[in-house]
């Protein structure tokens, strides 16, 4: 069992490289970037893992203040498990203190779902993580909706958000970052009732 003093490993899932930066598949990176900004940190290369990391604290002063390692695996989405395992082992993070933030096709655009454990729902980043560390980690699923018409899923997730979606994206990423802070400070049930839409 994890202790309240154990650190949290918060993973934004995505693909490295400027050509992917604004893709739907990279919304996890966007949330991680905002959280890093909020704690006043800059991502740097991890020593022991193929990832970029920022260490800091999230939450109000006192017992709800949590030590966090924000990370963006730099291995491409479908190989996320390797860097996640290396980070978990290096920072000695219990699996239930690992949180993956990722895009989710089966939820309407901008909706959030927070959960602990479960399947990967065809998401290659989660599939790789679960294969490496088991499924008992937290997830924040950021809805991107389904592709229009006959567009292939792989093409849809690797496209940038549409101009209509981009109008709301800043607000929605901000809300997802708020949900991370709530989860860490107040627990999963409270965060679910506040943010699951």
């Amino acid at each position: 069992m994890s202790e309240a003093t154990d650190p949290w490993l918060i993973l934004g899932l995505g693909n490295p490289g400027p050509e992917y930066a604004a893709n739907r598949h990279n919304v996890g990176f966007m949330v991680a970037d905002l959280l890093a900004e909020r704690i006043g940190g800059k991502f740097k290369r991890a020593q022991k893992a193929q990832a970029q990391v920022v260490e800091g604290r999230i939450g109000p002063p006192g017992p709800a203040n949590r030590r966090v390692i924000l990370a963006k695996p730099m291995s491409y989405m479908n190989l996320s498990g390797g860097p996640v395992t290396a980070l978990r082992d290096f920072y000695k993070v219990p699996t239930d203190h690992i949180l993956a933030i990722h895009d989710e096709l089966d939820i309407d655009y901008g909706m959030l779902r927070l959960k602990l454990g479960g399947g990967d729902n065809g998401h290659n980043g989660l599939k790789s993580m679960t294969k490496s560390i088991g499924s008992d980690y937290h997830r924040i699923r950021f809805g991107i909706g389904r592709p229009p018409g006959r567009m292939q899923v792989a093409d849809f997730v690797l496209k940038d958000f549409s101009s209509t979606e981009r109008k709301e994206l800043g607000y929605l990423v901000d809300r997802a970052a708020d949900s991370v802070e709530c989860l860490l400070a107040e627990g999963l049930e409270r965060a679910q009732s506040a943010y699951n839409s």
Side-chain angles (χ1 to χ4, degrees), residues 7 29 71 84 89 92-93 95 105 109-110 115 150 152 169-170 177:
F29 274 18
V84 171
D89 294 349
K92 299 181 173 47
V93 180
T95 306
L105 288 158
Y109 174 64
K115 63 184 283 199
R150 293 168 179 249
Q152 293 296 310
L169 186 59

Side-chain angles (χ1 to χ4, degrees), residues 19-20 46 51 97 101-102 104 117 120-121 124 129 143 163 167:
E19 68 273 33
Y20 298 107
H97 273 216
I101 306 161
H102 63 92
E104 178 60 65
D120 57 54
N121 210 19
N124 288 331
M129 276 184 64
S163 55
K167 287 178 185 150

Side-chain angles (χ1 to χ4, degrees), residues 96-163:
D96 67 351
H97 273 216
I98 295 174
L99 167 62
I101 306 161
H102 63 92
D103 58 306
E104 178 60 65
L105 288 158
D106 285 336
I107 302 174
D108 290 341
Y109 174 64
M111 301 281 121
L112 296 176
R113 293 275 194 290
L114 285 74
K115 63 184 283 199
L116 173 62
D120 57 54
N121 210 19
H123 191 286
N124 288 331
L126 296 184
K127 200 175 287 183
S128 177
M129 276 184 64
T130 297
K131 193 173 171 189
S132 295
I133 66 166
S135 63
D136 295 331
Y137 54 89
H138 287 82
R139 302 104 193 270
I140 292 181
R141 303 157 73 201
F142 187 110
I144 59 168
R146 283 257 156 209
R150 293 168 179 249
M151 188 191 287
Q152 293 296 310
V153 163
D155 295 332
F156 179 69
V157 298
L158 293 176
K159 282 206 177 339
D160 290 358
F161 286 101
S162 70
S163 55

Side-chain angles (χ1 to χ4, degrees), residues 48-71:
K48 304 285 182 186
Q50 194 181 355
Q52 291 187 346
V53 294
V54 176
E55 294 182 59
R57 299 193 83 83
I58 287 180
N65 189 266
R66 304 277 181 250
R67 182 176 158 234
V68 297
I69 300 99
L70 295 173

Side-chain angles (χ1 to χ4, degrees), residues 166-180:
R166 280 199 299 273
K167 287 178 185 150
E168 279 190 290
L169 186 59
Y171 164 75
L172 296 169
V173 167
D174 202 56
R175 189 166 179 269
D178 289 348
S179 78
V180 172

